């Protein structure tokens, strides 16, 4: 449930008319609803209240400092994947003991910075990484907590690019390798292996892949416990799906009800890493219609937002609902033809939606829904376009949380060699 | 032909050992060869010398100011697609009469800026845009030259995302619409319709789609001339393919030999818009091996460059050759297994190459070839990663033409709302 809806003809974010935001801040623009972010975070918190998990928001979904700050002030931890995300965690003063760090490619510099900040733990993805963190911990004379990321070889039924728990993917260790590591844990003097981590993918709408993965890993955990090894954490990652189109994803409550018995039986501190679930439907991308082009073959609605602003349709063939900010009354005269909603970028991959019935003309505004996760965070300067602004709506107040780039920003790191 | 090659074990860019660049500037890093850029530009210039065309380099392929400057000083014009690219054209003092502007989504602001700069012409993509440019020209009391972009409905046999001359794409006008516009040209008081433009796609390796498109448009041009309408320009766009893998693209010479007879018969000033052809093989992305991960299912070479640095493999499933900067001698002991070369980003779509035989270990450097076009220009901050640096090699000299971002740059436009 999110707080974007029509009141009469006008599309609102909470108590704010989105059209007035477009007029004040210009387009394209990302607009987020603070109340929706709160709501989704607390939905998860309440659903899992009986085991009091550490909920680490997945920064990569949407890394704007104001959003991180909002969540951290509510008690969230942060799931980071790079030195840049660690930098952001520091900027919002996230308590280090609420930061967990996953990534198959952590550099020495990033590992050092994270150890120095005193993060809770590293989710380790390979033997090489384990050795490297041990080495750096030794150099810094620190003892470092880690969990092993297990690749449970589970098909999560989502897009191949966001499937991360199949054995053919680069993520984690197979169960046998992990078992050997636990038995040889003495080889890593400066590490304490405190648990296991799984993250099987993103935008998963059913609980069964999670259940399967947890059950698989439970066997490993049981074996390790029998060896007398003391574990503390079980990190089940993120990946909860949301509604983009006609999906009927499980609610946080239904998901929790299904996995809680398993988690209680495992009896370790649970870590959750939701990202899309919290911010996905808490953000929209607003855009202006530049031209309506009706060709003999097809109709196009050309808007001022492109694939550089929202890559998901192009990269994942992802569906996003697109609605007008001003919903015109239906009459017999107004029978919109199906149209492709496309951006100004010079390639055919630049589209936001295909075959949409929208009653719009030049100058009208549209909202691309479900753009809060992997929207701005994947945006680029392709075609020398400026990164958009971002605003956060709190009831009837609108805060600029990122200024739009200007042209000078595009070249601020460049110099002309003659 | 490009100036990247081995001398003994070491990979060189012109007279510079690339490994020394990696050590000095760090990785990931884009490295460009100035001599290669020159060579490709002059190949086209010489091939078409008999008709003295205006060669407008397609800025979107690689928009670094030093590269634009290099080409403009050699006499190139610029093919731009946005206000940001216009800003770049001004920064390198490109004579306005060498700038042409295409894009299906030109905003009022962009149109105004371009008219004020006095660009040669707009390539107009729709009736709506024609009316809009006419209106703005009127407001500014200017007469503006335009060409009509024709969508010739030709299959260029390339990736669907970079196919731009099929009728189902958003680009240009069909021939009949264009014909009507020419006959009704008096409706656009402030415009002079000076010719036609086609651009059927990118990375096209054969001349036949070009020939077909030119022949189709020649019919229109002939008809228009019969009406006594005075045309000046025929812009045949860009799209010449290069070698990424085993392609055998036509050379500039072969292409010119095939199209010149047609262009001479049409007898208008030809405009060419090469981008990839000039810079594609003039750039490489260098990256360091962070971990070599051998799992029971697959081997992975994890490097410090990801899909945020080079999106083409993920977005277009594009092939790029990947070679080590230090080519180790082959021995019986060293039999590299096939491995996927993947980046540090947290999704399975983050790969640079699949199933490559590479004899490398942690700390070694790799070069991703053919990364000069649509490499840096499509890069992003995804996963809060910093945009890479770019260097230009001129024989044995190396110039930094873009500094790597630092972490503060990531948040320079953000603010924390509490």
């Amino acid at each position: 449930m999110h707080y974007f809806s029509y009141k009469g003809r006008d599309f609102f974010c909470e108590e704010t008319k989105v059209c007035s935001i477009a007029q004040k801040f210009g387009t394209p623009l990302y607009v987020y609803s603070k109340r929706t972010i709160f709501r989704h975070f607390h939905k998860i918190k309440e659903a899992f209240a009986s085991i009091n998990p550490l909920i680490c928001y997945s920064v990569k979904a949407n890394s704007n400092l104001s959003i991180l700050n909002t969540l951290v002030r509510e008690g969230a931890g942060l799931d980071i994947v790079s030195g840049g995300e660690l930098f952001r965690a520091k900027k919002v003063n996230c308590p280090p003991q609420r930061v967990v760090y996953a990534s198959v490619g952590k550099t020495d510099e990033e590992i050092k910075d994270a150890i120095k900040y005193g993060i809770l733990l590293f989710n380790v993805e390979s033997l090489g990484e384990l050795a490297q963190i041990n080495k750096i911990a030794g150099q810094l004379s620190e003892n470092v907590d880690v969990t092993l990321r297990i690749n449970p070889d589970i098909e999560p039924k989502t897009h191949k690019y966001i499937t991360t728990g199949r054995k053919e993917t680069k993520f984690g260790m197979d169960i046998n390798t992990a078992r050997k590591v636990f038995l040889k844990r003495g080889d890593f003097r400066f590490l304490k292996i405190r648990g296991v981590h799984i993250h099987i993918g993103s935008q998963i709408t059913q609980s069964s892949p999670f259940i399967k993965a947890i059950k698989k890993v439970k066997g490993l955990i049981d074996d390790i416990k029998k060896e007398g090894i003391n574990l503390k954490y079980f990190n089940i990652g993120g990946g909860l799906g949301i509604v983009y189109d006609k999906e009927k994803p499980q609610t946080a409550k239904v998901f929790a009800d299904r996995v809680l018995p398993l988690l209680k039986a495992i009896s370790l501190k649970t870590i959750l890493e939701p990202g899309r679930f919290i911010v996905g439907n808490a953000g929209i991308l607003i855009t202006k219609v530049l031209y309506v082009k009706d060709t003999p073959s097809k109709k196009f609605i050309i808007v001022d937002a492109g694939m550089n602003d929202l890559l998901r349709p192009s990269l994942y063939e992802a569906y996003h609902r697109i609605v007008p900010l001003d919903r015109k009354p239906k009459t017999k005269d107004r029978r919109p033809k199906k149209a492709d909603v496309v951006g100004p970028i010079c390639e055919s991959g630049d589209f936001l939606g295909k075959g949409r019935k929208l009653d719009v003309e030049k100058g009208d505004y549209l909202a691309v829904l479900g753009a809060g996760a992997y929207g701005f965070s994947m945006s680029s300067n392709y075609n020398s376009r400026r990164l958009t602004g971002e605003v956060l709506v709190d009831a009837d107040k609108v805060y600029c949380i990122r200024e739009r780039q200007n042209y000078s920003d595009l070249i601020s790191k460049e110099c002309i060699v003659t």
Side-chain angles (χ1 to χ4, degrees), chain A:
Chain A
M1 238 294 289
H2 56 71
Y3 294 95
F4 293 95
S5 64
Y6 285 101
K7 292 181 189 171
R9 285 173 64 148
D10 295 313
F11 195 64
F12 273 72
C13 175
E14 302 187 12
E15 282 131 55
T16 305
K17 201 195 276 192
V18 179
C19 189
S20 65
I21 302 176
Q23 280 154 359
K24 180 167 177 194
F25 293 91
T27 54
L29 185 79
Y30 277 95
V31 178
Y32 307 116
S33 155
K34 192 170 182 178
R35 198 183 294 165
T36 309
I37 294 171
F38 272 146
R39 185 187 168 99
H40 290 161
F41 175 65
H42 285 288
K43 281 274 178 201
I44 293 187
K45 201 169 169 183
E46 284 154 25
F48 284 91
S50 64
I51 59 166
N52 188 30
L54 175 61
I55 303 173
C56 292
Y57 166 70
S58 174
V59 175
K60 61 185 177 292
N62 185 322
S63 58
N64 187 289
L65 291 178
S66 286
I67 288 174
L68 302 187
N69 188 60
T70 295
L71 287 164
V72 167
R73 297 289 82 76
E74 285 295 297
L78 298 176
D79 159 33
I80 65 168
V81 298
S82 71
E85 291 191 355
L86 177 66
F87 178 80
R88 289 179 177 279
K90 292 180 193 173
K91 281 287 158 190
V92 297
N93 293 311
C94 182
Q97 286 294 301
R98 285 199 244 144
V99 176
V100 297
Y101 187 169
S103 159
V104 296
K106 302 174 186 90
T107 66
D108 290 2
E109 212 53 44
E110 290 173 324
I111 293 168
K112 252 177 238 166
D113 283 355
I115 293 176
K116 284 184 187 162
Y117 192 53
I119 65 164
L120 182 66
L121 54 85
F122 291 90
N123 295 313
V124 175
E125 311 239 11
S126 67
L127 291 174
E129 186 194 332
L130 206 59
Q132 196 64 13
I133 297 177
N134 183 58
K135 185 174 151 192
I136 295 170
Q139 287 162 354
L140 297 173
S141 306
E142 296 275 0
N143 284 301
V144 171
D145 283 1
V146 303
T147 60
L148 300 186
R149 177 165 178 177
I150 310 293
N151 185 322
D153 194 23
I154 293 289
E155 171 55 55
K157 293 173 188 154
T158 185
H159 190 283
K160 64 179 178 176
Y161 279 3
I162 50 178
T163 290
T164 57
R166 290 297 304 271
K167 64 183 178 184
E168 303 81 7
T169 67
K170 64 186 175 183
F171 300 98
M173 301 172 192
D174 63 288
I175 287 186
N176 285 336
T177 302
R179 186 175 279 119
K180 283 180 205 152
V181 170
F182 272 108
L183 297 178
K184 288 176 60 185
R185 66 199 180 285
D187 290 2
F188 306 100
R189 282 185 54 194
F190 301 97
L191 304 186
K192 283 192 185 134
I193 307 178
R194 307 302 298 270
V196 295
H197 172 226
I198 49 173
H199 177 67
I200 58 175
S202 192
Q203 183 57 14
I204 304 166
T205 52
Q206 308 157 8
S207 60
S208 54
F210 290 100
I211 303 274
K212 273 186 205 160
I214 294 171
K215 282 186 177 164
K216 248 183 160 171
V217 172
K218 186 178 182 303
L220 171 68
I221 293 174
D222 290 344
D223 292 351
I224 294 164
K225 282 182 177 172
K226 278 181 209 148
E227 294 285 335
I229 299 171
N230 190 21
L231 296 184
K232 191 165 176 191
Y233 303 106
F234 183 30
N235 183 339
I236 64 167
L240 287 179
I242 63 167
V243 180
Y244 286 106
D245 185 12
K246 295 190 181 82
E247 303 92 340
K248 297 208 184 303
Q250 55 198 335
T251 61
K253 177 82 172 59
V254 166
F255 175 62
D257 287 349
R258 296 219 38 201
V259 300
L260 274 173
L262 280 165
L263 297 177
K264 284 176 183 171
I266 289 169
S267 189
L268 296 172
K269 173 86 173 175
T270 299
I271 300 174
L272 303 171
E273 298 173 336
R276 191 191 310 264
F277 184 85
I278 292 177
V279 293
N281 284 327
I284 63 175
L285 171 64
I286 57 176
T287 182
K288 190 157 79 173
V289 176
L290 296 174
Y291 302 98
V292 176
K293 178 174 175 179
D294 207 352
T295 80
S297 313
K298 215 171 201 180
K299 185 177 168 187
F300 297 96
I301 297 169
I302 299 168
V303 299
D304 67 358
M307 64 189 279
N308 75 300
D309 302 306
L310 181 66
L311 187 61
R312 299 188 72 258
S314 188
L315 183 59
Y316 310 118
E317 300 189 350
Y319 181 94
H320 285 268
R321 279 186 67 203
I322 302 176
V323 301
L325 295 191
D326 173 20
R327 187 169 55 175
K328 291 167 193 162
K330 280 185 188 163
T331 66
K332 279 187 183 165
D333 310 336
R334 309 184 79 93
R335 285 209 184 150
K337 269 169 71 177
K338 279 189 179 176
D340 286 4
V341 181
V342 300
I345 286 193
C346 289
E347 58 181 272
S348 299
D350 178 35
F351 60 91
L352 298 174
K354 292 190 167 177
R356 307 300 174 89
K357 281 192 178 169
L358 286 162
D359 182 12
V360 288
E361 54 199 64
K362 184 175 173 58
D364 288 350
Y365 291 109
L366 293 172
V368 183
L369 308 190
Y374 305 101
F376 185 88
S377 72
M378 300 187 84
S379 67
S380 78
N381 293 119
Y382 187 38
N383 276 204
S384 290
R385 286 167 55 80
R386 296 162 287 180
L387 296 181
T388 67
E390 294 176 288
V391 301
L392 183 64
V393 173
D394 186 1
D396 59 350
K397 290 184 216 62
V398 183
Y399 301 96
C400 172
I401 60 172
R402 171 187 287 273
E403 280 176 46
R404 185 183 307 283
Q405 278 188 326
N406 50 49
Y407 289 138
S408 309
D409 294 321
L410 296 177
I411 59 163
S412 65
K413 295 280 173 181
E414 289 179 45
C415 49
I416 302 182
V417 174
T418 49

